[in-house]
């Protein structure tokens, strides 16, 4: 019987595992190795590790976590989860069943990329979602923003910290005239047409083409594709969910507690602030929540 089973061994899951290992708790981490930011060449805004490739960061973290003898890392996908506090059961795709007192769900999300030529090839390089993570490297250049929801209208104001060359691509959507006027007054160019392709050089955006043939030169394109949890374990457990502009996430309370006792969640599953730093912070809180619940 493990004290905690952590499902998902990226930044949130490994942070939780380290904290629990240092508390001398028996922990099993199940991980597929498919971290969401594997497409990015470098990770940023991580104190002491700015610019390190995500894979390198994770490899270092795994090595350090394995220093703790009560932590076991297992390369497997969790297929089925059942049970209650002090008797959860997780069955892997390989047919192994692991018992644990508490669960931490940190299996992240999957981005559902649109069927636009060039989008997937540039994702994580110059088709990006977060200016704090990637904006510095393309500062002062030609930026595009692909409209996905009314939240997109706030993007140009934020992006002005990095560039004054911004094109909002409405992708066939309508926006209120008042909002259009505000954006144009700020110097934002607005393209109404639907995006059909991205021209790039090995992942480096050079421009985009709209449905009517219009070509727009760009060096970076901000986009927020729909996403979904990378597994259905939250549904198996009947956990409460919360809607976001791009998908759904697990609803949590204090110390990352999910809606069922004994279950905690962390990482991109629980926050719209998708970054390594936020993921690690939530992993640490989830570990503390699980520890406290076992002490009670």
């Amino acid at each position: 019987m493990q004290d905690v089973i952590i499902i998902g061994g990226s930044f949130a899951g490994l942070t939780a595992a380290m904290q629990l290992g240092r508390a001398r708790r028996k922990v099993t981490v199940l991980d597929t190795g498919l971290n969401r930011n594997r497409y990015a060449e470098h990770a940023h805004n991580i104190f002491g590790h700015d610019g390190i490739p995500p894979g390198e960061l994770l490899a270092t973290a795994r090595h350090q976590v394995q220093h703790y003898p009560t932590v076991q890392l297992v390369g497997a996908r969790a297929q089925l989860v059942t049970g209650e506090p002090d008797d959860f059961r997780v069955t892997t795709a390989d047919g192994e069943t692991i018992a644990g007192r508490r669960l931490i769900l940190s299996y992240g999300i999957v981005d559902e990329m649109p069927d636009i030529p060039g989008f997937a090839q540039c994702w994580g390089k110059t088709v990006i979602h977060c200016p704090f993570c990637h904006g510095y490297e393309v500062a002062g250049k030609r930026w595009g923003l692909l409209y996905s929801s009314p939240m997109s209208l706030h993007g140009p104001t934020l992006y002005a910290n990095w560039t004054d060359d911004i094109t909002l691509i409405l992708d066939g959507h309508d926006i209120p005239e008042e909002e259009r006027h505000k954006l144009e007054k700020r110097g934002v160019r607005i393209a109404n047409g639907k995006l059909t392709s991205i021209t790039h050089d090995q992942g480096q955006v050079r421009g985009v083409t709209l449905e009517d043939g219009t070509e727009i030169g760009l060096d970076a394109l901000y986009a927020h594709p729909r996403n979904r949890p990378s597994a259905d374990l939250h549904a198996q457990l009947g956990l409460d969910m919360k809607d976001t502009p791009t998908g759904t996430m697990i609803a949590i309370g204090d110390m990352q507690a999910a809606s069922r006792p004994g279950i905690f969640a962390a990482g991109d599953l629980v926050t719209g602030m998708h970054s390594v730093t936020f993921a690690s912070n939530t992993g640490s809180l989830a570990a503390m929540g699980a520890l406290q619940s076992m002490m009670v």
Side-chain angles (χ1 to χ4, degrees):
M1 173 72 70
Q2 298 295 288
D3 290 313
V4 182
I5 302 172
I6 300 173
I7 304 176
S10 189
F11 297 97
L14 290 175
T15 299
M18 180 171 288
Q19 193 143 324
L20 291 164
R22 291 186 59 80
R24 306 177 69 193
R25 293 290 185 166
K26 293 188 293 183
V27 180
T28 292
V29 182
L30 297 174
D31 185 47
T32 63
L34 299 176
N35 52 299
R36 184 192 180 205
N37 65 348
R38 63 190 182 276
Y39 302 101
E41 295 177 351
H42 304 95
H44 294 285
N45 280 334
I46 307 168
F47 183 71
H49 300 283
D50 188 53
I52 305 297
E56 187 176 324
L57 284 172
L58 287 171
T60 300
R62 292 188 193 103
H63 177 74
Q64 292 176 349
V65 167
Q66 287 175 318
H67 170 76
Y68 300 99
T70 60
V71 179
Q72 180 183 21
L73 304 183
V74 178
R77 178 179 293 277
Q79 196 80 23
L80 178 68
V81 58
T82 60
E84 302 291 339
D86 297 321
D87 189 25
F88 288 107
R89 305 282 167 148
V90 178
T91 302
T92 71
D94 301 326
E96 180 185 1
T97 297
I98 304 166
R101 297 180 60 196
R102 299 291 185 270
L103 290 177
I104 294 178
L105 307 181
S106 54
Y107 45 81
I109 60 177
V110 174
D111 296 294
E112 298 178 336
M113 299 184 197
D115 187 20
I116 297 172
F119 192 100
Q121 293 87 340
C122 297
W123 180 244
K125 299 179 178 70
T126 51
V127 173
I128 42 189
H129 76 285
C130 170
F132 295 100
C133 301
H134 305 285
Y136 187 86
E137 283 65 39
V138 288
K141 297 186 178 182
R142 302 169 299 174
W143 287 21
L145 168 62
L146 183 61
Y147 183 96
S148 59
S149 76
M151 290 293 293
S152 300
L153 300 178
H154 301 291
T157 302
L158 174 63
Y159 299 164
N161 290 319
W162 288 271
T163 185
D164 57 4
D165 191 330
I166 303 172
T167 300
L168 172 63
I169 302 169
L170 292 180
D171 204 32
H173 294 88
D174 292 322
I175 62 173
E177 283 301 316
E178 181 182 358
E179 295 297 332
R180 181 185 290 269
H181 177 71
K182 288 179 183 177
L183 290 167
E184 290 175 338
K185 190 174 181 180
R186 293 184 63 90
V188 177
R189 291 181 295 276
I190 299 177
N192 298 309
K194 196 167 185 60
L195 181 64
T196 57
S197 67
I198 298 171
T199 303
H200 66 97
D201 180 11
Q202 297 183 337
Q204 302 299 307
V205 171
R206 298 293 181 243
V208 299
T209 302
L210 306 185
E211 196 171 40
D212 63 1
T214 299
E215 296 182 353
I216 303 170
L218 296 175
D219 301 297
L221 177 66
Y222 281 80
H224 301 88
R226 298 289 299 176
N227 55 62
R228 56 177 173 78
S230 68
D232 68 350
L233 306 181
H234 54 282
Q236 294 182 26
L237 293 164
L239 300 182
D240 291 345
M241 303 296 289
K242 180 180 178 180
D243 290 329
T244 77
T246 58
T248 60
M249 61 186 184
I250 296 176
I252 55 168
D254 292 341
M255 304 301 289
Q256 306 298 127
S259 56
R260 279 187 55 186
I263 304 173
F264 303 82
D268 287 352
L269 278 175
V270 301
T271 176
M273 300 295 288
H274 299 156
S275 75
V276 171
T277 301
F278 277 95
S280 298
N281 288 343
T282 60
S284 180
L285 285 173
M288 289 302 298
L291 279 170
Q292 288 181 6
S293 72
M294 287 186 286
M295 287 188 280
V296 172

